[in-house]
Amino acid sequence: LVAPRRYGKTSVLLAHAARLRMSDWRTAHVDLSRVADVTDVARRFAAAYAELDAPWVRAHLSGLLARLGVTFGAAGPGISLALRPPAPDAAAAETVVERLLDLPLSLWQADRVATLVVLDEFQDLLVARKDLDGVLRSRIQYHQDAAAYVFAGSEPSMMRELFDTRERPLFGQADPLALGPLPQDEMLADLAA
């Protein structure tokens, strides 16, 4: 799903996710906006995927997540702050990302409940590291009925690079949908009502 910033992509996708939850789907919203590096990507996935199954995330990843500055409290995941943050642990971060990417499949195998995963501002994944789309593809290509993925972005040229360039791992793996401006007459009628 491609549209400029402030067009309502996230609002539409969150509303869709809420409706799916009412029909017994799990949903996760991973906000990748302005991710800086693999550690940041791992933190974003951990925060979003902890809502799918926090006990699983805590049991399987707490040691690795602690090395990334992510802690789990009663309210869920949080980022620990220190005066002098530890150096990023890229290897631990990549392991966290890979294990979390498999969580929808693990949950599906346990209870046959599918997961919708919204990857918001997906093009920013390439800013964190140029090959992360390949890491993602290597895991989710086996999910079949376990999960559905929506790739949303606000940079059309980068989204085209990810999905329309033959050399990219996600080439041809998504159906494009552009979100245009709302029709003015209908929008004004709705606002007036």
Side-chain angles (χ1 to χ4, degrees):
L1 179 62
V2 179
R5 292 189 196 279
R6 312 299 305 161
Y7 257 53
K9 291 181 305 297
T10 301
S11 297
V12 166
L13 291 170
L14 291 177
H16 178 62
R19 293 187 97 180
L20 275 179
R21 279 193 300 277
M22 288 188 276
S23 64
D24 295 329
W25 276 64
R26 288 183 187 89
T27 65
H29 175 251
V30 184
D31 183 357
L32 296 168
S33 179
R34 296 181 175 90
V35 291
D37 55 22
V38 180
T39 300
D40 197 10
V41 171
R43 288 175 180 152
R44 308 277 183 104
F45 270 97
Y49 276 36
E51 294 181 25
L52 296 177
D53 191 337
W56 185 94
V57 173
R58 187 178 290 115
H60 290 85
L61 298 173
S62 60
L64 286 169
L65 288 169
R67 289 167 48 188
L68 304 180
V70 177
T71 59
F72 277 91
I79 304 295
S80 62
L81 300 175
L83 292 176
R84 185 177 299 166
D89 188 340
E94 187 165 342
T95 300
V96 166
V97 170
E98 289 175 354
R99 289 190 188 168
L100 285 172
L101 287 173
D102 285 335
L103 181 56
L105 179 60
S106 298
L107 294 172
W108 166 260
Q109 290 168 339
D111 61 15
R112 294 295 193 244
V113 175
T115 303
L116 170 72
V117 179
V118 174
L119 299 167
D120 209 351
E121 296 301 338
F122 183 67
Q123 75 278 341
D124 287 356
L125 197 67
L126 292 183
V127 174
R129 202 172 83 195
K130 292 287 184 197
D131 68 339
L132 285 178
D133 57 333
V135 172
L136 180 94
R137 167 83 194 279
S138 73
R139 309 313 283 197
I140 70 171
Q141 68 183 339
Y142 302 108
H143 291 186
Q144 299 167 341
D145 294 333
Y149 293 87
V150 176
F151 305 95
S154 58
E155 298 291 336
S157 62
M158 289 181 78
M159 292 294 281
R160 278 193 304 275
E161 178 185 340
L162 283 160
F163 295 101
D164 294 345
T165 303
R166 188 168 297 280
E167 294 78 26
R168 300 296 318 182
L170 292 171
F171 171 74
Q173 297 298 308
D175 295 322
L177 177 64
L179 185 63
L182 295 172
Q184 187 171 359
D185 293 341
E186 289 88 345
M187 182 183 67
L188 291 174
D190 281 350
L191 287 173

